[in-house]
Amino acid sequence: MSPIDFCDKVSDSFKRLCDTADISYTTFMRTTEPRHAKAVSELWKTLEKKGYLYKGKHEGWYAVSDEAFYTDSQVTKVKDESTGRQLTIANESGQVVEWTVEENYKFKLSAFQDRLLQWIDDNPKAIVPENRRNEVVSWIKQGLGDLSVSRLRSRLDWGIQVPGDADHTIYVWLDALTNYMTAAGYPWRSKEDMDKSYWPANVHIVGKDIIRFHAIYWPAFLMAAGLPLPKQILAHAHWTMGKMKMSKSRGNVADPFELMDTYGPDAVRYYLVRDGGLADDADYSEEMIMRRYRKELAGQLGNLVMRSTSSTLNPAAVAPGKPAGTINPADQSLHEKLVQLPSIFEDAFENREFNRALTSITDMLAEANKHFSDNAPWELVSKGESEQQRLDTVLYYAIESCRIAGTLLQPVMPNKMNALLNRLGAPADKRTLEHTRLWETARPLGEDSAALFPKIKKSA
């Protein structure tokens, strides 16, 4: 299989995954596109013109699997127990390295050591979470050598040719990383064009295994080219299974298509955000997906929607208005949680503590369900007009709990929360963070529909 055929196959699988998971994108970037070759060549010429590229002999400990060179302080000699051979491995990845010498182009990364440290010091939230920031600072303080940014074309012809030098191919550092600017329309004709392109990114999301490239090499390239840096680099941790790295050879892998077929894409997205690790790896468990689905999604949110909008308790099919007068002591605890929730949620998101954000919602929903049960609306409805005001109050807090939760959960479960908000009669133009305060006026409910979270026919 040719390189392009293999890449097309892999790329198509990711597109299919995005479509299945309801993940939209403005650009699905392929580094084989002509516009990308143009952007990479432009950045190369800019760096060369500014004096940050030079041709020289490059030597060092190279790990093929990592696509990285390492210094003497970053490798260790070990004995292969099965063969008795002496091997040199990278401390960071454990991959075998070999001493490699070749002529290629180098980027003056060493010139940016102090500037990178200053950038991080001036912007404490530039790299999050904190443990990744500390890693990056530690690497920089160990000393930055100049970086090889090309390979001989005789050895690597799959890539973009160095402008003006047919013997060299631009290596992955400069090629792949530039795709972010390609997607934003680089090269820009003016600063105004750049500003319209939404460059730089507010949050640049990467995996922890590529933080070195994105938090050291990439900012240095941008500094050298005189371009703005991302405002924040968010490096997430990995999913493990059985406390071990997922591996096809071990068989400890999860099929995302199968999971979404069983639980639906929104429920899987919810689990990934709810239980995924940011600072530390998270251990994958389908049992936990089922537990979250049954207890939190179906049991707390779906059940409360169904009960508070049922024709038995709510025959008028309305969301009651806010109760007049002072707050009843029986409603005080839930009322306070609903008032506080939006700011707690926003603070958690702004600090990239996504699991804390979702936990704040489930905590509120637990209180809302308790409030509903404690006030026994099924008993109130049987007493007729004498308890109608109290019944309306109980329904008000139940429906508002569901509406506010549904509004906040839209980024995580867009389809399910759209259905929920439609059912609760929330206008389509009133579903943003500013609309998560308690509403005052009554409104008709939307059309009844199927259960939000139907029973999963699969044992946990």
Side-chain angles (χ1 to χ4, degrees):
M1 183 182 289
S2 69
I4 187 62
D5 288 339
F6 176 75
C7 290
D8 286 346
K9 182 179 178 181
V10 174
S11 178
D12 287 344
S13 70
F14 276 100
K15 276 189 173 181
R16 188 162 60 92
L17 181 61
C18 286
D19 291 342
T20 305
D22 292 317
I23 297 171
S24 60
Y25 44 82
T26 51
T27 298
F28 190 97
M29 195 67 235
R30 293 290 303 274
T31 56
T32 51
E33 296 177 38
R35 60 174 173 157
H36 181 65
K38 178 183 176 182
V40 173
S41 296
E42 180 68 21
L43 181 60
W44 181 280
K45 292 173 186 176
T46 299
L47 297 177
E48 190 173 45
K49 183 179 179 181
K50 290 177 177 286
Y52 290 110
L53 296 178
Y54 65 94
K55 186 184 283 188
K57 186 172 71 172
H58 183 74
E59 56 185 317
W61 294 106
Y62 184 70
V64 175
S65 298
D66 298 341
E67 296 182 337
F69 278 93
Y70 294 99
T71 63
D72 288 338
S73 65
Q74 295 171 320
V75 300
T76 302
K77 293 189 181 299
V78 298
K79 184 178 181 180
D80 187 329
E81 296 297 332
S82 61
T83 65
R85 290 174 54 223
Q86 280 289 119
L87 301 174
T88 306
I89 63 169
N91 298 336
E92 182 183 336
S93 67
Q95 296 296 325
V96 175
V97 297
E98 294 182 350
W99 190 258
T100 303
V101 181
E102 67 179 27
E103 182 187 63
N104 52 36
Y105 287 88
K106 302 179 82 171
F107 171 73
K108 294 180 181 179
L109 183 63
S110 57
F112 293 89
Q113 181 165 325
D114 292 341
R115 285 182 64 182
L116 286 167
L117 289 173
Q118 189 64 52
W119 165 63
I120 296 171
D121 191 53
D122 290 344
N123 302 277
K125 295 292 186 180
I127 303 169
V128 294
E130 188 178 2
N131 59 340
R132 301 294 164 230
R133 177 182 183 274
N134 293 340
E135 275 183 5
V136 171
V137 170
S138 175
W139 289 333
I140 297 172
K141 287 184 175 180
Q142 288 175 27
L144 297 178
D146 289 349
L147 182 68
S148 169
V149 289
S150 78
R151 294 291 184 270
L152 291 171
R153 204 154 181 81
S154 59
R155 188 160 71 83
L156 181 67
D157 61 356
W158 172 246
I160 299 167
Q161 178 188 310
V162 168
D165 191 336
D167 293 331
H168 286 263
T169 299
I170 298 175
Y171 198 47
V172 65
W173 316 133
L174 220 56
D175 181 346
L177 290 167
T178 306
N179 89 90
Y180 306 117
M181 291 201 301
T182 303
Y186 180 82
W188 302 289
R189 290 173 298 180
S190 64
K191 185 180 183 303
E192 289 72 21
D193 281 349
M194 182 183 73
D195 292 340
K196 290 176 184 177
S197 74
Y198 301 105
W199 186 269
N202 286 330
V203 185
H204 192 149
I205 304 173
V206 301
K208 70 173 186 177
D209 53 327
I210 52 174
I211 186 67
R212 178 192 296 272
F213 314 130
H214 287 81
I216 298 179
Y217 302 167
W218 183 229
F221 293 155
L222 294 172
M223 287 177 179
L227 294 168
L229 276 59
K231 296 175 184 177
Q232 185 178 82
I233 299 168
L234 171 63
H236 61 76
H238 291 167
W239 283 97
T240 58
M241 185 180 286
K243 303 297 182 183
M244 299 176 68
K245 184 178 180 181
M246 288 191 186
S247 166
K248 286 185 178 179
S249 60
R250 291 196 192 101
N252 63 334
V253 294
D255 184 335
F257 294 102
E258 183 180 309
L259 285 173
M260 287 186 284
D261 185 59
T262 300
Y263 299 96
D266 277 15
V268 174
R269 288 163 57 120
Y270 177 84
Y271 167 71
L272 295 175
V273 177
R274 178 84 163 85
D275 291 282
L278 198 63
D280 302 307
D281 292 345
D283 204 48
Y284 169 84
S285 165
E286 189 169 351
E287 179 183 352
M288 184 57 77
I289 299 179
M290 179 64 87
R291 190 181 306 172
R292 296 294 187 206
Y293 187 96
R294 287 177 173 170
K295 182 179 178 181
E296 297 178 359
L297 299 182
Q300 289 190 343
L301 182 54
N303 192 39
L304 190 57
V305 170
M306 181 182 67
R307 293 198 291 172
S308 61
T309 60
S310 71
S311 59
T312 303
L313 298 181
N314 195 342
V318 297
K322 188 176 182 180
T326 58
I327 300 169
N328 188 312
D331 306 325
Q332 188 69 46
S333 179
L334 176 57
H335 184 93
E336 289 178 359
K337 275 189 176 294
L338 288 168
V339 170
Q340 295 165 3
L341 178 60
S343 60
I344 294 172
F345 182 90
E346 182 180 19
D347 178 74
F349 254 70
E350 289 302 317
N351 285 287
R352 317 308 174 212
E353 297 172 355
F354 306 116
N355 50 5
R356 179 167 72 90
L358 297 200
T359 299
S360 69
I361 293 175
T362 57
D363 287 348
M364 180 278 290
L365 288 172
E367 182 69 26
N369 276 276
K370 181 179 182 300
H371 177 269
F372 196 83
S373 297
D374 288 349
N375 285 277
W378 49 90
E379 294 180 4
L380 297 173
V381 76
S382 67
K383 295 178 181 178
E385 284 298 319
S386 64
E387 292 294 345
Q388 185 62 48
Q389 187 175 359
R390 183 59 192 159
L391 175 62
D392 285 347
T393 297
V394 174
L395 293 178
Y396 169 81
Y397 278 110
I399 291 173
E400 278 297 271
S401 296
C402 295
R403 182 189 65 80
I404 292 171
T407 303
L408 295 175
L409 284 169
Q410 287 177 106
V412 182
M413 297 191 291
N415 291 318
K416 291 291 186 181
M417 295 308 101
N418 182 59
L420 179 151
L421 294 169
N422 286 343
R423 174 64 178 128
L424 299 183
D429 61 348
K430 290 181 171 57
R431 298 182 179 183
T432 64
L433 186 63
E434 67 178 297
H435 300 112
T436 52
R437 295 185 298 273
L438 287 166
W439 283 0
E440 302 278 343
T441 57
R443 65 186 183 280
L445 294 175
E447 185 178 346
D448 196 2
S449 57
L452 273 176
F453 301 100
K455 187 175 181 180
I456 299 292
K457 296 178 180 179
K458 183 172 183 175
S459 58

